[in-house]
């Protein structure tokens, strides 16, 4: 029975890592395109990546996660896959500024939902969704107001969100650390040591 459980959990872990890699790479390209930090590269240049990696691959990863019982990651990957595919086909450079702003604001609600739902999924996953939410809000405001500075700030938030999502995937695959030692752990150890001393 234990073998069946472990065999079932491995594909879910690899699917989750694949999904976070697809999300991370797409967000990096999308975010850096908005920052203008690389000469001649804009967000519109990320359309192909958004369609096939952020859209198709991420959506398929979401369906696989849902099938294996991963409600949060399945919803996140399928929902964000739909976002990227729609953005790539209809909103890359083909919509009015206000339509694009509304589109981004509506999808910020999904990112907010994922952020709130990811409280038990770890700081990296929740952080990636939280940064994405901020990025989409800033980009929506930039579209409505026509302020390029806000759009660049949104691009940086998206790029950092992509890095966090990439690190979440890489840490799962390469067994990298996912948290730094905190003061709470040291306090718990000191408390246990004191209790042991009292018992002795």
């Amino acid at each position: 029975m234990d073998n069946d459980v472990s065999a079932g959990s491995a594909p879910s872990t690899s699917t989750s890592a694949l999904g976070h890699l697809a999300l991370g790479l797409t967000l990096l390209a999308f975010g850096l395109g908005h920052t203008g930090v690389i000469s001649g590269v804009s967000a519109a240049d990320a359309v192909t990546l958004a369609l096939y990696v952020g859209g198709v691959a991420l959506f398929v990863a979401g369906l696989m996660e849902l099938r294996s019982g991963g409600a949060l990651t399945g919803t996140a990957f399928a929902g964000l896959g739909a976002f990227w595919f729609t953005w790539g086909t209809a909103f890359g450079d083909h919509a009015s500024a206000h339509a694009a702003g509304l589109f981004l604001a509506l999808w910020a609600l999904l990112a907010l939902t994922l952020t709130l739902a990811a409280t038990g999924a770890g700081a990296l996953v929740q952080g990636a969704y939280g940064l994405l939410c901020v990025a989409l809000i800033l980009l929506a405001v930039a579209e409505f107001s026509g302020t390029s500075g806000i759009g660049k700030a949104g691009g940086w938030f998206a790029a950092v969100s992509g890095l966090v999502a990439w690190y979440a995937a890489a840490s799962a695959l390469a067994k990298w650390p996912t948290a730094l030692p905190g003061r709470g752990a040291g306090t718990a150890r000191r408390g246990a040591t004191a209790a042991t001393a009292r018992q002795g």
Side-chain angles (χ1 to χ4, degrees):
M1 188 63 141
D2 290 342
N3 291 337
D4 293 338
V5 172
S6 61
S9 63
S12 179
T13 301
S14 59
T15 305
S16 177
L18 172 64
H20 283 111
L21 279 174
L23 177 62
L25 294 176
T26 306
L27 274 170
L28 270 171
F30 176 78
L32 290 175
H34 275 95
T35 65
V37 70
I38 302 174
S39 179
V41 176
S42 70
D45 296 318
V47 166
T48 303
L49 186 68
L51 279 173
Y52 297 107
V53 178
V56 176
L58 191 56
F59 188 80
V60 170
L63 295 181
M64 293 172 68
E65 278 289 294
L66 287 170
R67 185 176 180 184
S68 67
L72 174 64
T73 49
T75 302
F77 295 163
L80 293 172
F83 163 75
W84 288 120
F85 191 83
T86 306
W87 178 79
T89 55
F91 288 92
D93 258 351
H94 313 298
S96 68
H98 285 184
L102 178 61
F103 174 78
L104 293 167
L106 291 173
W107 285 95
L109 290 175
L110 172 65
L112 176 61
T113 302
L114 296 174
T115 304
L116 297 175
T119 52
L124 287 175
V125 172
Q126 189 173 32
Y129 297 148
L131 290 165
L132 174 59
C133 180
V134 174
L136 292 174
I137 291 170
L138 289 174
L139 291 169
V141 171
E143 292 288 354
F144 282 124
S145 65
T147 308
S148 62
I150 297 176
K152 288 183 178 181
W156 282 114
F157 271 94
V160 174
S161 174
L163 281 175
V164 173
W166 167 81
Y167 188 87
S171 64
L173 293 173
K175 310 301 182 196
W176 292 347
T178 57
L180 295 174
R183 286 171 33 192
T187 303
R189 281 195 300 273
R190 285 193 297 272
T193 303
T196 302
R198 283 195 299 272
Q199 290 173 358

